[in-house]
Amino acid sequence: MKHVDIAVIGGGPAGLCAAISGASSGAKVLLMDRSEKLGGQLIKQTHMFFGSEKQYASVRGFDIADILLDKLNEYKDNIEIMNNTNVLGLYEDGVITIERNEKYEKIKPKSIVVATGASEKVLAFPNNDLPGIYGAGAVQTLMNVYGVKPGKRVLMVGAGNIGLIVSYQLMQAGVEIAAIIDASPTIGGYLVHASKIRRMGVPILTSHTVKEAIGRDCLESAVIWKLDENWNPIDGTEQEIETDVMCISVGLSPLSELLQQAECKMKYIPELGGQTVLRNENYETSVEGIYVAGDVSGVEEASSAMVEGYLAGLCAAQKIGFKHKNYNELKEDYIKQLESLRSGPIGHHIRSGIEKVMGV
Amino acid sequence: MENIIICRCSDLSLKDIRDLIEDGYTTVEEIKRISRAGMGSCQGRTCSQLIMREIAKITGKNISEQKDSVTRPPTIGIKLKTIADGSEDND
C-alpha cells in the first residue's frame, strides 16, 4: 500500500490546479490520469478561452495545458505523476485501487480530490449505431489531437458552446457543416460564436431534432424534423440532409462513479448535468476528506474547473495540516473568481444548480 | 424501435428496454440485472440516462425520483491475473 498526503484523480484543468494548489501548500501530492499526456480536454481545445486574465482568457486551450504543466513542474519535489493510470475503485475506507502497466496497486491518501470530469450524453434515434455518428469529444480528438478529418460533411447536433466551437474548428479544417441543429428553441452557446458561424453561411436550426440516421454500412444521410413548443416533433417538417458525420454535442454528465462507490451523497440536478455530488463551500463531499473539482462537481467550463481545482486543492491540504501561508487571501480570491465567472444571465442556471448541491 | 440502440455494449434496443419496463422491471438496477444493460465496458455511462428517460416516459416517475444503479469497482475491464498478481503485495 502506497501512502500519500493528497491523491488527485484526473489530470484535466481541475486536477492539474488541485495538484498545484495542494503541493504549493506543502503537501505531497499524487496526480493520476488515465492518458499518456496530462491536460484532459484542454489538449484538444484549439480555441481561445473566455473568462478573465486569471483563467487565461484569450489563450488557446492546449497552451493553457502547457502553462499549467510548467506550474506543476515548479513543485515537482512535492508532486508524483502517474499517467496511463486507471483508477479502478474508491472504497469507503478511503483506499484507492489503480491499474498501471498491467499492475494492480493500492493507495491510501490522507485526502482525495476527485477531478474525473464528465462524459458525453447520447441520443436515441433509429440507426444511432451507424459508423459516422460521433460524440463531439471524439471529433475534437481526431481532428485536433491526431490531425485526422472525421469526414466531408457534418451535421452538428447541439448548438451549445461545444457544438458551435467544434463546428467552427471543423470549418477551419476544411470540413463542410451541413447544418447545426438544436432541440431547444434558443441557441445555448455564446451568440458571438453563433454569429461567426452564421456569417459563414451555416444554418443554425433551433427546435429541430434528429428523426433518423440513414445508411447501409456507414452514415449517408440524416432526417431531421421540427419540434413544437412542447418539444414534440411535427409531422411533415422532415428534411433529409446528406452527411457522412453526425456530431452529437448534447451536453455532459458528471463522471461520478468513484464518488458513488465511496458513498458520497448524490442528487439529480439537471442544471449541472445529472447525478451530482453534494458538497460544501470548500468542495468537500459528504464523505470527510473526499473533495471534488471541475465538471464532476457539476458541468461548467474549463475556466471555472481550474479555479475549483485551486480551491479544492487548497482546502484538501488545509484539512490534513498543510495550511498555505496565504490560505485566507487565496481562498477569498478563488471564491470571488468563481462568483464572477458565474455572474450575469448566462450563469443563472449554474447558480441555481449550485444552490441545490450545497449543504453537506 | 429495434434499430434504436440504447445499450451499445450488450446490444439492447429501445424495444428490448420498453418490453422489460412493460414486464415490470421499472428501475435501472432491475433492468441491469435482467438484461446486462450497463454491465459492459461503458459501465452504464452511455445507456443509464436513456433507460431512466424511458422509465420516466412509461411509469411517469421523474428521473429525479428514480434510483441510479449501484456502481462498483472496477471502473474498467481488468484482467483477473492483474488483480491476482496485485494480491502478492497485499497489506
Side-chain angles (χ1 to χ4, degrees), chain A residues 25-98:
Chain A
S25 303
K28 295 280 182 198
V29 176
L30 173 65
L31 174 61
M32 293 167 279
D33 192 86
R34 67 177 175 197
S35 308
E36 171 82 31
K37 197 170 186 275
L38 294 178
Q41 300 300 305
L42 287 174
I43 65 165
K44 52 180 98 155
Q45 291 172 1
T46 52
H47 61 278
M48 291 182 194
F49 271 51
F50 278 38
S52 77
E53 210 178 314
K54 280 186 173 166
Q55 302 97 35
Y56 312 107
S58 317
V59 180
R60 294 182 192 280
F62 62 91
D63 287 330
I64 296 177
D66 285 340
I67 293 172
L68 295 178
L69 290 172
D70 284 346
K71 263 183 125 172
L72 199 70
N73 207 31
E74 287 173 31
Y75 299 101
K76 63 170 182 279
D77 293 343
N78 273 357
I79 300 178
E80 182 185 349
I81 294 168
M82 283 189 185
N83 55 350
N84 295 320
T85 298
N86 279 301
V87 173
L88 302 169
L90 173 52
Y91 294 79
E92 58 271 41
D93 58 357
V95 172
I96 294 170
T97 53
I98 62 165

Side-chain angles (χ1 to χ4, degrees), chain A residues 39-315:
Chain A
Q41 300 300 305
L42 287 174
I43 65 165
K44 52 180 98 155
Q45 291 172 1
T46 52
H47 61 278
M48 291 182 194
F49 271 51
F50 278 38
S52 77
E53 210 178 314
K54 280 186 173 166
Q55 302 97 35
Y56 312 107
S58 317
V59 180
R60 294 182 192 280
F62 62 91
D63 287 330
I64 296 177
D66 285 340
I67 293 172
L68 295 178
L69 290 172
D70 284 346
K71 263 183 125 172
L72 199 70
N73 207 31
E74 287 173 31
Y75 299 101
K76 63 170 182 279
D77 293 343
N78 273 357
I79 300 178
E80 182 185 349
I81 294 168
M82 283 189 185
N83 55 350
N84 295 320
T85 298
N86 279 301
V87 173
L88 302 169
L90 173 52
Y91 294 79
E92 58 271 41
D93 58 357
V95 172
I96 294 170
T97 53
I98 62 165
E99 185 195 26
R100 185 168 63 124
N101 305 322
E102 295 213 359
K103 278 193 73 179
Y104 185 79
E105 294 172 54
K106 283 182 286 185
I107 295 153
K108 180 77 172 87
K110 291 180 188 147
S111 64
I112 298 170
V113 181
V114 176
T116 43
S119 62
E120 293 183 300
K121 291 181 182 169
V122 293
L123 292 176
F125 51 80
N127 303 317
N128 57 346
D129 62 337
L130 274 176
I133 302 174
Y134 293 85
V139 166
Q140 272 192 308
T141 304
L142 273 177
M143 191 167 58
N144 298 346
V145 181
Y146 298 109
V148 175
K149 276 191 197 177
K152 294 190 182 78
R153 195 166 199 261
V154 173
L155 174 66
M156 179 64 67
V157 182
N161 276 327
I162 298 178
L164 295 174
I165 289 169
V166 174
S167 296
Y168 189 71
Q169 291 170 355
L170 282 160
M171 285 190 272
Q172 287 178 313
V175 178
E176 188 187 349
I177 306 292
I180 301 174
I181 66 169
D182 200 303
S184 157
T186 53
I187 292 170
Y190 295 141
L191 291 182
V192 56
H193 294 315
S195 313
K196 196 150 92 174
I197 292 163
R198 277 296 292 123
R199 282 196 295 272
M200 292 172 79
V202 175
I204 301 178
L205 306 170
T206 51
S207 296
H208 275 77
T209 192
V210 180
K211 185 182 184 193
E212 62 174 326
I214 297 173
R216 214 169 65 104
D217 300 321
C218 58
L219 183 68
E220 290 163 24
S221 68
V223 178
I224 61 169
W225 55 356
K226 205 172 159 40
L227 300 174
D228 66 18
E229 60 272 26
N230 299 316
W231 301 62
N232 295 315
I234 307 167
D235 281 328
T237 60
E238 290 90 344
Q239 296 181 50
E240 186 168 343
I241 293 179
E242 194 194 319
T243 176
D244 59 342
V245 174
M246 193 192 294
C247 182
I248 311 278
S249 173
V250 294
L252 303 164
S253 319
L255 202 44
S256 52
E257 59 211 341
L258 293 172
L259 298 165
Q260 292 179 37
Q261 286 176 15
E263 297 182 352
C264 298
K265 281 188 190 146
M266 312 286 299
K267 194 173 175 183
Y268 182 79
I269 302 172
E271 295 96 324
L272 299 178
Q275 284 294 337
T276 312
V277 68
L278 302 184
R279 62 167 177 86
N280 65 20
E281 64 155 19
N282 293 341
Y283 284 77
E284 190 175 17
T285 66
S286 63
V287 176
E288 208 179 345
I290 299 185
Y291 291 76
V292 285
D295 276 356
V296 74
S297 69
V299 173
E300 279 183 83
E301 308 265 334
S303 315
S304 45
M306 288 187 275
V307 185
E308 288 182 331
Y310 284 129
L311 181 54
L314 190 77
C315 295

Side-chain angles (χ1 to χ4, degrees), chain B residues 5-25:
Chain B
I5 300 299
I6 299 295
C7 167
R8 298 189 288 200
C9 306
S10 292
D11 205 24
L12 294 161
S13 70
L14 182 59
K15 181 177 186 310
D16 297 326
I17 299 297
R18 284 195 179 159
D19 287 349
L20 288 170
I21 300 170
E22 301 287 358
D23 282 348
Y25 301 98

